[in-house]
Amino acid sequence: MSDEEQIGGEMDRAIRAVLMGMGQVGEQVARRQAQRADAQRLELERDQRARAEQTRAVAEQVHRTDFWRHATPEQVGDVAAFTAAAAQESAAGATAHEQVRVQVASRYGLHADVLAGLDREVRDQALREAFAKTAEARFAVDNRDTTRAVYDRVKREEFWRQAGPEQVADTVEYTRRLQGHDRMAAEAHSIAGEQLRARHGIDLAALERELPPGERQRHALMHALDDQAAARRERDEADQDATAAENLERKADVDEELGRPVGEVESTREEADELRAESREHDAQGDVYQASADLEQGDERFARGHQPDDLAAPYQRTTDGELQAAPAAAATARKQAATNFPEPASTALGRAHRKGTMRGRKQTGRGAAAGKVHELSR
């Protein structure tokens, strides 16, 4: 073999080796490209599955009443933005976004598509303002079952017989706040006003005109009812004492006719006098409570801008000058009507002897109400 042939054979072998190497490199490149494509496809599929799962979870969330009842402005803004994007990707996303549109419009008076296109900070601020404006309306929508229960309760006779001042005041406050947003709450508030007028002589409409809404109205109504209940108790005791005094006077007359010892007859008459004094005391205290109840409901002094704490007490100690200017009988009556008129020791001891203990006064008004827990329904 000539040198040229040998060189040519080596050249051919080198060329084949290069071609084989290039083929192997091409195959490796192709395999790597295929692997990358598979990885990208798998990653895309994973992303799509994750997105579909997110959309499913959000769609389930926005169809739950509890979400809208407790959602914050930021959460509402997030679901509006997310579902707006998801609506372009799937039918589930479109369905979810339609639900968001309905809820955002009905609950906050805003357009979800507009919110979705806003910068996050601007969007959240718009929602916070809408939340504040629509709080009571949303509360009415979210608590229709409670409102129905309150409506059914104020129509029942037993409620008005058994409910305490705080329970009545809470019920009235609940219906007052929702009456502009719920027909049933408005009717319940009207029924409550009729019952208060018929049973307690309280003009609810006038009270609501006189005092600012909220806790001032609620407290005024609660204290007026409490004071009226105390006034009724005092007058009932006054009637009982007056009746007992009449019975003792009749007994003394009979004993006198029968010739009983004078000391025994006089003792009976003194006991009757003590009961009449107690009866007057209870009547006077009843007037104090009734005056306090009337004051809580508002009078002409409220119209001049005075606050309840600025008002003088309905009954004050009678001054010496006032007593000197009044006839003797009138002065005695005015002294006994004063809440701080000292009780004669003989009267207190006689009552303790008869009944075993001195009567205590039930604390009423603001002091008795402090610290109580509000209870709307039981």
Side-chain angles (χ1 to χ4, degrees), residues 153-154 156-164 167-168 171 376:
R153 185 172 66 176
V154 298
R156 294 202 305 268
E157 173 73 17
E158 63 187 281
F159 168 73
W160 294 101
R161 283 201 313 268
Q162 299 173 5
Q167 196 173 5
V168 172
T171 299
L376 182 60

Side-chain angles (χ1 to χ4, degrees), residues 178-368:
L178 298 190
Q179 63 179 332
H181 309 287
D182 188 287
R183 179 190 58 78
M184 195 171 294
E187 189 170 346
H189 195 67
S190 177
I191 293 172
E194 294 169 2
Q195 291 290 337
L196 288 171
R197 180 184 288 276
R199 293 171 181 274
H200 306 285
I202 294 176
D203 187 342
L204 181 59
L207 184 148
E208 291 176 342
R209 287 194 303 270
E210 293 279 358
L211 298 174
E215 284 300 292
R216 283 285 301 280
Q217 286 185 12
R218 178 185 170 278
H219 287 161
L221 177 58
M222 182 172 64
H223 298 324
L225 290 168
D226 195 33
D227 288 341
Q228 283 196 343
R232 285 194 297 272
R233 286 193 300 271
E234 292 290 342
R235 286 165 181 164
D236 286 345
E237 290 198 42
D239 291 341
Q240 292 171 13
D241 287 343
T243 301
E246 291 176 7
N247 292 337
L248 286 174
E249 281 292 346
R250 284 195 291 270
K251 180 180 183 302
D253 291 341
V254 171
D255 288 347
E256 190 174 29
E257 291 177 2
L258 294 175
R260 299 276 186 184
V262 174
E264 185 178 328
V265 173
E266 288 301 319
S267 177
T268 301
R269 294 194 191 281
E270 287 176 4
E271 191 173 355
D273 288 341
E274 291 172 359
L275 283 171
R276 278 191 288 270
E278 285 191 42
S279 177
R280 289 193 297 273
E281 179 188 345
H282 287 305
D283 266 334
Q285 189 63 39
D287 289 342
V288 171
Y289 285 131
Q290 185 60 55
S292 178
D294 294 341
L295 197 61
E296 290 290 355
Q297 297 174 56
D299 62 13
E300 69 277 2
R301 283 175 284 184
F302 282 121
R304 295 200 298 270
H306 292 277
Q307 301 299 318
D309 292 338
D310 298 331
L311 299 175
Y315 286 80
Q316 299 292 333
R317 178 183 289 277
T318 305
T319 66
D320 292 338
E322 290 174 326
L323 290 176
Q324 291 172 2
T332 300
R334 290 173 68 183
K335 284 172 63 179
Q336 292 178 343
T339 59
N340 48 13
F341 179 66
E343 180 181 56
S346 60
T347 301
L349 290 174
R351 182 169 69 248
H353 176 72
R354 289 194 311 276
K355 301 184 180 179
T357 182
M358 295 181 67
R359 282 198 189 96
R361 298 291 182 200
K362 178 181 183 297
Q363 186 184 10
T364 59
R366 293 179 178 83

Side-chain angles (χ1 to χ4, degrees), residues 58 61-62 67 72-85 97 100 115-116 120 123-124 127:
V58 171
Q61 186 179 51
V62 299
F67 168 76
T72 64
E74 291 75 16
Q75 289 171 330
V76 172
D78 287 344
V79 297
F82 179 87
T83 57
H97 190 56
V100 172
L115 287 176
R120 182 188 180 92
R123 181 178 69 219
D124 289 349
L127 280 164

